[in-house]
Amino acid sequence: MADKKPILSEEIELSEIVLNKTNQAFAMIKQEDIVHMKKTHTRGKKMFKTQAAVIAGVCILAVSSISAVAAIHHYWGRGMNGTIQASDEQQQVLTEKNIAKVYNEEPDSPSLAVTNNGVTIEPDTVIVDERFVYMTFRISGYRAADRMEPGFDMVNVYQGDDPEDESAWVNMSGSMYDGIIPDENGTLVYEDGTSIESYEDGSVISHYTDDNGNMEYIIRASAVDKNDSFLGKTMHVEFKNLGTFSKGAFIPAVEGEWNFEINLSDVSSTQNIKVRKNVEGTGFTMEDMDISPISIQVNYSVSEAPVEKEDDLGIPEVKGVVLKDGTRIPYLVNPGRVGYTDSSKSNAYQIAGFARVVDVDEIAALIVLKSCGNEKVEMLEIPIAK
């Protein structure tokens, strides 16, 4: 197999809905630099910018193969399943290895539930690696009216003990889980299979709640400091005032605060893989990558940096993977962060989370997007060897 080969354009065609959402996400990234978010009014944000950290001294336990079946069955929450899709087998392995945690399986989980003015919020599922943490919280006792978007007036997320310390800040986004997932063709649908195009006015009807009337809030966070790591850290999550949004304005329904202290696992699932392959037609050589079942950091050496076009740095980006059995996952990587490590532009990186869990040992090649001038792009396959 050649080191790199073009991918037929028809293999990477997206539905109009996916394209629109993807373009919106990239537009948002181009318009903003990284935001060090400590307190945020998070309405409908699906993607977030990232920085990576791999820190020495943590417990190392690589997920070498997601093939064992756990003795006790673990059930990730509805919101987590919709945020980072995983097979039943993958859910069992990551939970057994303490990379994921399901709180209602913990003996002390009732003590973590907070009730205020008739609304109870409690952590449901948490997944963490060095670069990212995904957290979902179950909400009971409140249900927004049909066609209304529920949410909080304020969500505050920080690590450590001092929320005013800049080292405590994280990059985050949050939203109520709306029941929308990509199907096997990459088309966005509601989890019951209903097309989101079936509602002419674009409104959502009762997809925020499960069969028991509960909702879930999703938080996606990454470290601000490139040399930081979430492993073994304590994460504070604070919610204030629950209600709905209408035309960008928050309408309070239940006043109150719900505060949590989440102790993150110190188990590392990240592998460092040497690549050392040039991205054809560019001055970038992919030296290595730090990859886990839920995220990736790619490190490049740069012989010649391209001319920047507005906010486009021209840095190649991994978009998906090819597995050893030939399975292609071209829409694996959520929009993340790319940049140069210093002003000399001799080294660059990409850091991003995944939309689904992957078995790192089953990856045969990376699907990489490169710029080709005049805003045209080309997709390449870059084989990797472990």
Side-chain angles (χ1 to χ4, degrees), residues 174-190:
S175 62
M176 289 290 183
Y177 177 55
D178 56 10
I180 296 176
I181 60 173
D183 66 11
E184 59 185 9
N185 299 315
T187 302
L188 296 176
V189 299
Y190 289 113

Side-chain angles (χ1 to χ4, degrees), residues 17-324:
I17 297 172
V18 176
L19 279 172
N20 288 339
K21 285 209 169 188
T22 303
N23 290 335
Q24 290 171 4
F26 277 108
M28 179 177 66
I29 291 172
K30 289 181 178 180
Q31 290 171 0
E32 303 176 13
D33 197 355
I34 189 167
V35 180
H36 302 335
M37 300 182 71
K38 183 177 64 170
K39 295 185 179 179
T40 181
H41 165 198
T42 55
R43 177 183 183 273
K45 294 182 180 177
K46 298 296 183 185
M47 303 298 179
F48 54 100
K49 300 181 181 181
T50 64
Q51 285 190 326
V54 179
I55 199 165
V58 299
C59 174
I60 303 297
L61 179 59
V63 182
S64 59
S65 178
I66 302 178
S67 58
V69 177
I72 300 174
H73 205 90
H74 306 285
Y75 296 93
W76 291 7
R78 172 176 175 255
M80 189 62 73
N81 273 313
T83 300
I84 181 164
Q85 296 182 55
S87 68
D88 184 78
E89 192 173 23
Q90 290 170 332
Q91 293 181 37
Q92 308 317 306
V93 172
L94 266 65
T95 307
E96 286 293 313
K97 292 182 179 295
N98 201 29
I99 297 159
K101 182 175 183 178
V102 181
Y103 274 81
N104 62 17
E105 297 176 353
E106 300 295 320
D108 61 344
S109 61
S111 65
L112 296 179
V114 177
T115 301
N116 202 337
N117 290 328
V119 174
T120 299
I121 302 179
E122 55 189 314
D124 187 280
T125 308
V126 175
I127 306 175
V128 65
D129 70 0
E130 285 86 349
R131 295 166 286 274
F132 291 89
V133 58
Y134 298 80
M135 299 180 283
T136 58
F137 292 81
R138 186 168 58 254
I139 302 165
S140 57
Y142 173 78
R143 179 170 182 168
D146 283 348
R147 303 178 185 273
M148 296 298 291
E149 179 186 354
F152 291 96
D153 184 29
M154 189 72 70
V155 179
N156 186 18
V157 180
Y158 64 93
Q159 57 180 322
D161 298 322
D162 183 4
E164 301 303 323
D165 188 342
E166 289 189 9
S167 66
W169 297 2
V170 302
N171 302 314
M172 63 83 67
S173 70
S175 62
M176 289 290 183
Y177 177 55
D178 56 10
I180 296 176
I181 60 173
D183 66 11
E184 59 185 9
N185 299 315
T187 302
L188 296 176
V189 299
Y190 289 113
E191 57 190 356
D192 61 5
T194 306
S195 169
I196 63 176
E197 295 177 316
S198 61
Y199 304 112
E200 294 181 359
D201 62 358
S203 60
V204 178
I205 303 179
S206 301
H207 288 277
Y208 286 101
T209 58
D210 61 18
D211 293 339
N212 298 315
N214 298 326
M215 300 185 297
E216 289 194 36
Y217 193 85
I218 306 163
I219 291 175
R220 313 160 185 83
S222 65
V224 169
D225 189 333
K226 193 174 185 297
N227 298 313
D228 196 3
S229 171
F230 281 145
L231 296 182
K233 296 292 186 63
T234 298
M235 194 71 68
H236 293 266
V237 181
E238 301 171 350
F239 299 99
K240 182 177 181 180
N241 298 338
L242 180 60
T244 58
F245 291 97
S246 177
K247 297 180 179 179
F250 177 73
I251 305 171
V254 181
E255 293 186 354
E257 295 184 3
W258 299 262
N259 300 330
F260 302 89
E261 186 176 285
I262 306 295
N263 295 318
L264 301 178
S265 171
D266 63 355
V267 176
S268 174
S269 57
T270 295
Q271 296 185 39
N272 178 266
I273 299 174
K274 304 300 181 184
V275 183
R276 298 193 177 97
K277 289 185 171 63
N278 173 253
V279 181
E280 184 179 5
T282 75
F284 293 86
T285 296
M286 186 180 294
E287 296 291 347
D288 67 329
M289 62 179 177
D290 295 308
I291 184 170
S292 82
I294 65 171
S295 76
I296 189 171
Q297 175 178 348
V298 182
N299 301 306
Y300 297 97
S301 60
V302 186
S303 60
E304 183 178 356
V307 177
E308 297 181 17
K309 297 179 180 179
E310 297 181 351
D311 293 329
D312 183 5
L313 301 179
I315 298 173
E317 297 182 47
V318 173
K319 292 299 180 182
V321 299
V322 181
L323 303 182
K324 292 178 180 178

